[in-house]
């Protein structure tokens, strides 16, 4: 299994321990700055989408809200990834965690939102020879089966209700369930030890981000777990528009 080198570097950083109780405020501040600098260089624009002063403020706010005062480097960086993922933080008034019943159904990840799939530095890097994603069709079935299809057509996205009907007639090799912490866990019968978890949020009120319109009833999902990523960083994002129940 391929391991992301940046996440390995994070594991090494976790040997640092800064305690707001046991160490001087100057030492803690220096360790904060070291972690902020590492995140800025390695992850801003990839798995973190906020400037250092902003992600630091939000991380510390999150840690305090969860009663964590004896802060380790692992706590700190995990809080940054939790509160400042790409493309935007889920900690906003227009969003709340989605329930299982709200997740079930057929969803379209439209072409107009594909630019938000990964962080801007990942988009700009690109992959030579890879076709451009036009749109995705995602189905979370009531029987626990899951299906996902990606369209790469040069003419644009042509996913429609008939496309979903065709998908549902095909054999599903994936299943989905909800974890205790509210994530969608995907398991595959055709891939050994497949790792995939998404954190889903329901859009409660409309908002706009980078020209993309999010409407009430849409869903956004952050991929928080995958191969080489056991630290909760978001490596992929989806904006899903409901096509049917």
């Amino acid at each position: 299994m391929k391991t992301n080198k940046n996440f390995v570097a994070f594991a090494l950083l976790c040997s640092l321990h800064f305690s707001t109780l046991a160490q001087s405020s100057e030492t803690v501040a220096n360790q904060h700055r070291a972690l902020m600098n590492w995140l800025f260089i390695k992850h801003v624009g990839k798995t973190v989408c906020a400037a250092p002063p902003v992600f630091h403020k939000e991380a510390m706010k999150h840690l305090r809200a969860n009663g964590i005062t004896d802060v380790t480097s692992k706590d700190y960086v995990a809080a940054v990834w939790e509160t400042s993922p790409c493309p935007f933080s889920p900690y906003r008034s227009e969003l709340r965690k989605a329930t299982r019943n709200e997740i079930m159904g057929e969803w379209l990840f439209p072409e107009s939102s594909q630019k938000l799939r990964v962080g801007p530095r990942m988009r700009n890097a690109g992959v030579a020879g890879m076709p451009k994603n036009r749109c995705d069709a995602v189905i979370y079935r009531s029987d626990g089966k899951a299906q996902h299809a990606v369209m790469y057509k040069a003419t644009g996205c042509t996913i429609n209700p008939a496309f979903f009907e065709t998908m549902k007639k095909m054999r599903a090799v994936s299943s989905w369930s909800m974890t205790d912490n509210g994530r969608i866990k995907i398991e595959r019968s055709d891939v050994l030890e497949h790792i995939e978890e998404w954190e889903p949020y329901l859009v409660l009120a409309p908002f706009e981000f980078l020209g993309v319109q999010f409407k009430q009833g849409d869903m956004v999902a952050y991929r928080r777990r995958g191969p080489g990523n056991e630290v909760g960083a978001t490596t992929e994002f989806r904006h899903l528009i409901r096509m049917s129940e």
Side-chain angles (χ1 to χ4, degrees), residues 164-234:
F164 281 97
E165 290 304 313
T166 300
M167 277 184 68
K168 287 188 289 186
K169 294 176 183 177
M170 300 173 66
R171 184 175 72 90
V173 296
S174 300
S175 60
W176 73 284
S177 60
M178 297 294 289
T179 65
D180 291 340
N181 59 350
R183 293 180 183 177
I184 301 170
K185 181 179 181 180
I186 301 294
E187 296 179 279
R188 298 185 56 159
S189 61
D190 61 335
V191 178
L192 185 64
E193 298 181 349
H194 181 72
I195 301 172
E196 183 180 347
E197 289 184 9
W198 297 81
E199 194 170 66
Y201 291 83
L202 189 71
V203 178
L204 300 177
F207 66 98
E208 180 269 339
F209 184 82
L210 291 182
V212 175
Q213 300 296 324
F214 294 83
K215 298 180 180 180
Q216 184 177 2
D218 288 357
M219 187 165 67
V220 300
Y222 300 80
R223 186 168 183 177
R224 295 286 198 178
R225 189 168 179 240
N229 174 24
E230 296 288 348
V231 295
T234 292

Side-chain angles (χ1 to χ4, degrees), residues 17-149:
H17 177 277
F18 53 88
S19 166
T20 53
L21 299 176
Q23 300 184 58
S24 70
S25 59
E26 182 179 359
T27 299
V28 171
N30 287 337
Q31 291 173 338
H32 278 175
R33 281 192 288 271
L35 287 168
M36 289 169 68
N37 185 59
W38 174 75
L39 283 163
F40 177 73
I41 293 171
K42 295 292 185 180
H43 287 280
V44 167
K46 294 181 178 179
T47 62
V48 176
C49 275
V54 176
F55 71 61
H56 174 72
K57 178 182 177 181
E58 293 304 312
M60 296 307 292
K61 178 181 176 182
H62 179 75
L63 290 166
R64 286 193 297 270
N66 285 275
I68 300 174
T69 55
D70 188 15
V71 181
T72 66
S73 56
K74 181 178 180 179
D75 294 330
Y76 179 79
V77 180
V80 172
W81 273 323
E82 172 69 23
T83 57
S84 299
C86 290
F88 52 75
S89 173
Y91 289 83
R92 53 191 303 154
S93 60
E94 299 93 343
L95 301 177
R96 70 155 169 78
K97 282 282 189 74
T99 66
R100 188 179 191 280
N101 286 340
E102 291 166 339
I103 293 164
M104 284 190 296
E106 300 167 10
W107 302 87
L108 173 69
F109 183 1
E111 186 172 3
S112 58
S113 302
Q114 291 287 327
K115 62 185 178 182
L116 304 180
R117 180 186 288 270
V118 294
R121 284 173 64 189
M122 300 299 289
R123 289 198 304 272
N124 294 340
V127 180
M130 285 293 290
K132 180 181 178 181
N133 285 26
R134 293 296 180 179
C135 52
D136 298 36
V138 181
I139 304 176
Y140 296 112
R141 291 166 32 176
S142 60
D143 63 0
K145 297 295 185 181
Q147 292 171 281
H148 174 222

Side-chain angles (χ1 to χ4, degrees), residues 4-15 38 42-43 81:
N4 187 302
K5 292 180 180 179
N6 286 332
F7 297 140
V8 172
F10 164 64
L12 294 175
L13 274 173
C14 288
S15 60
W38 174 75
K42 295 292 185 180
H43 287 280
W81 273 323

